[in-house]
Amino acid sequence: MTISNILAEKGREVVTASADTTLHEAAQLMMRYRIGALVILDDSGRLAGLIAERDIVSAVALDGPEALTQRISAYMQPSPQPAREDDAVENTMRVMTIERRRHIPVVRETRLVGLVSIGDVVKYRIRVIEEEHRSMREYIAQA
């Protein structure tokens, strides 16, 4: 299965912001949409960065509450390595685990087409394991 399969199931809508958005505004967007990360786009609509809940917590821990008045650009993960739609889910899981990333933007050429979270890939993996389990039970029952 590929990342495009996950996006087909969950949808391709991504909440985005500009690098000029403040951390406070970013936190409000995350709360409003009940999400854990925002993709940051540049003026031409290309991937510029990613800001996650963890980044906001780190900013406040480092710089105190005044960090919330600062722009995302000061704290975002710049130029995150994106996934491609034809990437295997297993490879994306490996990247997320090794790099300790909970969100990976998905691009087609240079355009954002989705966002995959660790929850999305875990849900996929559980479904695969359940399907394998069901198949094995059917095979054993027929033997």
Side-chain angles (χ1 to χ4, degrees), residues 73-123:
S73 58
Y75 301 101
M76 71 181 186
Q77 303 164 36
S79 304
Q81 184 63 41
R84 307 272 180 215
E85 293 173 289
D86 60 351
D87 287 349
V89 173
E90 291 79 8
N91 291 341
T92 302
M93 286 174 45
R94 189 174 303 109
V95 168
M96 293 175 114
T97 302
I98 291 168
E99 296 181 10
R100 299 189 60 173
R101 294 172 59 194
R102 300 179 111 190
H103 302 87
I104 295 184
V106 182
V107 298
R108 181 182 304 135
E109 295 177 20
T110 60
R111 291 290 180 201
L112 180 69
V113 295
L115 180 70
V116 177
S117 72
I118 192 72
D120 298 328
V121 295
V122 167
K123 181 179 175 182

Side-chain angles (χ1 to χ4, degrees), residues 29-48:
L29 283 169
M30 289 182 204
M31 289 297 294
R32 181 180 317 134
Y33 291 101
R34 302 183 72 198
I35 55 175
L38 294 171
V39 174
I40 312 307
L41 301 179
D42 65 18
D43 293 336
S44 63
R46 290 194 168 92
L47 179 63

Side-chain angles (χ1 to χ4, degrees), residues 15 19 33 38 50 54 56-58 62 64 72 81 88 103-104 111 114 125 128 132 134:
V15 180
Y33 291 101
L38 294 171
L50 186 116
R54 184 181 297 170
I56 294 173
V57 169
S58 295
L62 288 172
I72 287 175
Q81 184 63 41
H103 302 87
I104 295 184
R111 291 290 180 201
R125 188 66 185 133
V128 168
E132 289 172 355
R134 182 182 42 78

